[in-house]
Amino acid sequence: MNPNASALQKNMLFRNKTEQEITSILAKINPTVRSYSRNEQIVREGEPADRMGIVITGIVEVQKMYSTGKVVTVSRFSTGSTFGEAVIFSKTNVYPATVIAAESVSILMFTKKELLALFALDTEIMALFMQNMSERLILLNQRIEILSLGTLRQRIAHFLIKEMKQQKTERIRIPFNKRVWAEHLNSARPSLSRELCYMRDQGWIVFDDNTVNILLVGELEGLLQ
């Protein structure tokens, strides 16, 4: 199966390439495109991290599974997103989490050898890969910062203020559903709902299914002082 070049233009490695350039580069490396059904495992936590994936179609979830049976969704990736790049060159070289298909997906898979060949063909792609790794590290530090805050209310306030600044609007679109948002804040969904209702009742915010409108930024900032 040939990869969809237009979908790959959404990926951080190929965003500056034309469809023709992408097709030409991949023809020299010949990576594999694989299809997965809904809920099928793409990579399993603990197995050798011998490949990096780019989502061509569909949505995948990165999940952390605990010995108690609890499963936490760490993140969700859609068309153009990359997974596995943070560990494919690591010394431990195993996947730290499980990646599953949240719906039917197709994934472009690069082995380490194919990825190195890609970098040798195009140094701009290699530079974009390194830039992406730096941005991932920044996001990880932000996640640690959120989890270090004392209360769930503070974590919600921190998240909303950060998203307000990034989206440049006080009407924020939440990039995932309530369950994933709660897991992102290291909380349960009912606890998140209670805190959002408290903030609404205080007149700080109003919200619906996937948007939050901040009415009193100063009150949220005050929680973090």
Side-chain angles (χ1 to χ4, degrees), residues 27-217:
K28 298 174 183 177
I29 302 172
N30 198 29
T32 303
V33 177
R34 299 180 184 176
S35 297
Y36 298 86
S37 303
R38 185 173 182 269
N39 293 328
E40 188 176 355
Q41 287 189 346
I42 300 169
V43 300
R44 184 180 295 107
E45 179 178 352
E47 72 180 18
D50 57 358
R51 58 201 186 280
M52 181 193 82
I54 299 176
V55 182
I56 303 300
T57 62
I59 297 174
V60 304
E61 288 187 350
V62 180
Q63 298 182 341
K64 189 69 177 178
M65 301 180 183
Y66 296 93
S67 58
T68 58
K70 181 180 180 181
V71 178
V72 175
T73 300
V74 179
S75 55
R76 285 167 62 89
F77 296 136
S78 58
T79 299
S81 298
T82 306
F83 62 87
E85 74 274 26
V87 291
I88 193 169
F89 294 113
S90 70
K91 186 176 181 179
T92 53
N93 201 227
V94 296
Y95 291 111
T98 297
V99 180
I100 70 162
E103 58 188 39
S104 296
V105 300
S106 60
I107 309 292
L108 178 63
M109 290 290 193
F110 288 89
T111 65
K112 185 186 295 187
K113 182 178 179 180
E114 290 166 346
L115 196 56
L116 289 172
L118 179 65
F119 295 161
L121 279 173
D122 195 306
T123 56
E124 181 188 28
I125 289 178
M126 180 174 64
L128 289 171
F129 180 89
M130 296 173 67
Q131 178 183 325
N132 178 70
M133 294 303 300
S134 297
E135 291 172 351
R136 286 288 181 93
L137 181 59
I138 291 171
L139 289 174
L140 176 60
N141 288 336
Q142 290 174 346
R143 182 90 189 273
I144 292 171
E145 183 181 3
I146 289 175
L147 297 181
S148 68
L149 295 170
T151 67
L152 175 57
R153 192 171 301 166
Q154 289 175 314
R155 296 198 293 274
I156 295 171
H158 181 278
F159 177 88
L160 293 176
I161 291 171
K162 177 176 68 70
E163 288 295 319
M164 179 188 70
K165 292 177 180 178
Q166 289 183 349
Q167 298 182 29
K168 298 180 180 179
T169 176
E170 294 177 354
R171 183 172 177 80
I172 300 163
R173 180 185 175 277
I174 306 302
F176 25 61
N177 61 35
K178 285 274 183 67
R179 176 181 63 84
V180 177
W181 188 11
E183 291 172 353
H184 180 76
L185 297 173
N186 195 31
S187 176
R189 180 174 175 174
S191 299
L192 172 61
S193 296
R194 282 195 298 271
E195 288 296 335
L196 289 174
C197 289
Y198 174 85
M199 291 179 172
R200 178 198 61 198
D201 294 344
Q202 295 298 310
W204 301 347
I205 65 171
V206 292
F207 64 90
D208 56 27
D209 288 341
N210 62 352
T211 60
V212 175
N213 193 4
I214 301 176
L215 302 178
L216 297 174
V217 177

